[in-house]
Amino acid sequence: MTALTLSTAGAATLRADTLVVGVAKSPQGGKGLVVAPGAEAVDQAFDGKLAGVLETLGASGAEGEVTKVPSPSGLKAPVVLAVGLGQAPEKDDETYTAETLRRAAGAAARALAGTKKAGFALPVDAVEDAEAIAEGALLGAYAFTAYREKGKDAKGPLAEVALLGAKPRDKAYKAAAERAVALAEELNRARDLINTPPNDLTPEAFAALATTAGKEHGLKVQVLDERALAKGGYGGILGVGAGSANPPRLVKLAYTHPKAEKTLALVGKGITYDSGGISLKPAGHNETMKCDMSGAAAVFAAVVTAARLGLEVNVTGWLALAENMPSGSALRPGDVLRMYSGKTVEVLNTDAEGRLVLGDALTRASEEHPDAIVDVATLTGAMVLALGNRTFGVMANDDAFRTAVHEIAEEAGEQSWPMPLPAELRKGMDSPTADIANMGERMGGGLVAGLFLKEFVGEGIPWAHLDIAGPAFNEGAPYGYTPKGGTGSAVRTLVKLAERVAAGDLG
């Protein structure tokens, strides 16, 4: 993991391999580039001509654009890396947004793979700016190399981030740095889990990792194996896992604080590999299905982060883990499952399996009467069609809670969009055989899935559903602090939500 330090040195005197500065497009009506605050000493070393040098090299100031130049004699670091911040603020009293700084720091950190130490001299006007830069750099420096032969082509991640412009002796800045480190380390652990091949990350293996982390961070961990699941009547989880040689698990991770007045329950879909089952996915749709446990990874990371930060809120995570495979013992279209709630479900499509494991976990979580429940899942392709690859949908049984979760996600830097749960779509899941079918109308499929989950939430409990099918796994090129592969989508939202509940901001 990349180390983070709050440096007392100035940009000119810092001993590092590279200095990172910000550059932006001139405000509306202006021409050329402007050097962002934080880089004054660097610009001075270039005799005030850093912007001109960068323009000569083709820099435009576009967000995430990276340009390297040799340093002049007035700087200790031999290289200056300029990262684009987009449009400069129009007015002197306006600043760059936290997300702009986060993405810029991430892009710079990615470009510095193989570097030992880099100083980040980006604009810091407040504690929030320092935290955003630290978070972006630590997330951007991520690399998944567990399965690569050492010494072969792959560069290691940036080893150390020295953050300039912060106040190392100020308690608020120290706390912000500690939060950034804890959050980034756990989010990157979630990315590792998502990227791990499914032959290594089985339900049992995931449960073992959660147990180990629980012991390390003082969490109470309970693992229900296939025998305990059968005894408890968890028909949804057992049904989905019936076709696999790797049996399912339900993991409970509980973080408690002695002063907590509220409890937040988080439920994660953990399909460690999704072939679609008997309703087999076609070629081209199953190669990345190791990522179908991204919701469980996000919940796992959020609970551990809450524990590391010592938040004054009780947070319980439920990881519904199974592998969805075809075999002679697999769930069939037409089968009826009796869920943990007692409700029966006619399975019309075995590739709509996530809602089945979540249904059991939501019912179990509801039994403990938490103040709110949030589930996270790579649930539907329909949500990807609706919102694209970078935005997750937010559904809820309470409009105010949905709005709060959406706003918290945006504040955390995660793109989301509130989605409705139209009551008329529920009729499409009526079954002549069972209480409900696991499929409904094709149009609005993401909303149908949300309505299905709503059936398993305890009465009177505020609940939100995050469908992260789009942003959970990046198949394209990396951007900002987002790598190729597992992204850790929803972790920051869940942690920010836990912080809000701890502060009493959600009632």
Side-chain angles (χ1 to χ4, degrees):
M1 177 68 187
T2 302
L4 173 69
T5 57
L6 301 183
S7 179
T8 57
T13 58
L14 179 72
R15 294 187 180 278
D17 300 292
T18 305
L19 270 177
V20 177
V21 300
V23 63
K25 299 178 181 179
S26 293
Q28 292 291 344
K31 293 183 179 180
L33 301 178
V34 294
V35 177
E40 292 83 358
V42 179
D43 191 31
Q44 187 177 351
F46 279 87
D47 295 326
K49 298 177 181 178
L50 176 56
V53 170
L54 293 170
E55 282 188 67
T56 300
L57 293 173
S60 67
E63 282 195 19
E65 179 186 71
V66 170
T67 308
K68 291 182 180 180
V69 295
S71 296
S73 58
L75 302 176
K76 295 289 186 183
V79 176
V80 171
L81 183 151
V83 61
L85 299 172
Q87 199 76 43
E90 290 289 322
K91 301 177 182 178
D92 292 340
D93 60 347
E94 292 179 346
T95 59
Y96 293 94
T97 67
E99 182 61 8
T100 295
L101 297 175
R102 195 180 288 116
R103 291 182 181 182
R110 278 194 299 105
L112 291 170
T115 303
K116 290 183 178 179
K117 181 178 180 179
F120 281 66
L122 295 171
V124 176
D125 288 308
V127 173
E128 293 76 15
D129 298 331
E131 185 175 341
I133 295 167
E135 189 179 299
L138 295 174
L139 295 177
Y142 172 81
F144 184 67
T145 58
Y147 291 83
R148 292 189 180 276
E149 187 177 347
K150 291 182 179 179
K152 289 273 187 177
D153 301 324
K155 294 180 180 179
L158 170 63
E160 181 183 349
V161 171
L163 181 57
L164 306 179
K167 301 174 182 177
R169 296 180 181 86
D170 186 291
K171 288 183 179 179
Y173 281 89
K174 284 183 179 179
E178 289 170 1
R179 181 188 186 277
V181 169
L183 178 60
E185 286 183 351
E186 297 311 322
L187 194 153
N188 285 338
R189 181 174 7 203
R191 289 171 168 178
D192 282 347
L193 288 168
I194 297 164
N195 289 326
T196 298
N199 57 321
D200 282 345
L201 191 72
T202 61
E204 183 179 10
F206 197 153
L209 287 167
T211 300
T212 300
K215 290 178 180 178
E216 180 184 352
H217 297 288
L219 307 177
K220 291 183 179 179
V221 183
Q222 180 185 16
V223 179
L224 299 185
D225 62 15
E226 65 272 29
R227 291 175 294 278
L229 290 169
K231 184 177 179 180
Y234 293 85
I237 297 174
L238 286 168
V240 172
S244 174
N246 299 303
R249 297 287 186 270
L250 177 62
V251 179
K252 176 187 176 182
L253 293 163
Y255 160 69
T256 57
H257 191 284
K259 296 182 180 179
E261 297 181 355
K262 299 285 187 179
T263 297
L264 177 65
L266 307 176
V267 177
K269 173 188 173 183
I271 304 300
T272 57
Y273 181 74
D274 182 19
S275 70
I278 296 297
S279 305
L280 193 67
K281 293 179 185 291
H285 292 78
N286 56 18
E287 290 82 358
T288 61
M289 281 297 103
K290 65 181 181 180
C291 79
D292 214 20
M293 37 59 67
S294 295
V299 167
F300 171 48
V303 176
V304 175
T305 304
R308 290 183 61 173
L309 297 177
L311 301 182
E312 290 189 18
V313 58
N314 297 327
V315 184
T316 304
W318 300 89
L319 316 181
L321 308 175
E323 191 175 65
N324 187 23
M325 296 290 286
S327 74
S329 61
L331 187 66
R332 296 158 291 223
D335 282 355
V336 173
L337 301 176
R338 186 170 297 277
M339 305 287 282
Y340 179 70
S341 66
K343 193 184 295 289
T344 56
V345 177
E346 182 181 10
V347 178
L348 300 181
N349 187 327
T350 65
D351 196 22
E353 84 299 328
R355 64 199 71 182
L356 299 175
V357 301
L358 287 173
D360 276 353
L362 285 167
T363 301
R364 179 64 187 89
S366 297
E367 287 182 339
E368 299 193 352
H369 306 290
D371 294 285
I373 300 175
V374 178
D375 79 70
V376 188
T378 46
L379 206 61
T380 66
M383 197 57 61
V384 185
L385 291 173
L387 299 178
N389 291 318
R390 297 191 183 185
T391 304
F392 61 74
V394 183
M395 286 151 270
N397 60 0
D398 178 275
D399 288 348
F401 189 51
R402 181 187 63 189
T403 299
V405 172
H406 166 58
E407 291 176 350
I408 286 169
E410 295 293 312
E411 184 181 335
E414 299 201 88
Q415 294 173 229
S416 69
W417 197 252
M419 302 292 281
L421 289 176
E424 65 272 15
L425 291 178
R426 170 60 182 84
K427 186 172 178 58
M429 290 184 283
D430 285 350
S431 164
T433 307
D435 295 319
I436 190 172
N438 77 328
M439 292 292 288
E441 294 182 28
R442 181 166 176 266
M443 300 302 174
L447 313 183
V448 170
L451 285 165
F452 181 92
L453 296 179
K454 183 181 176 183
E455 299 271 330
F456 299 90
V457 178
E459 190 172 349
I461 302 174
W463 156 79
H465 161 56
L466 312 185
D467 190 337
I468 62 169
F473 197 84
N474 176 28
E475 296 186 62
Y479 57 93
Y481 50 82
T482 302
K484 188 178 180 68
T487 65
S489 178
V491 173
R492 289 178 291 149
T493 298
L494 297 180
V495 172
K496 182 74 74 175
L497 174 62
E499 289 172 327
R500 287 289 186 84
V501 175
D505 292 344
L506 288 177

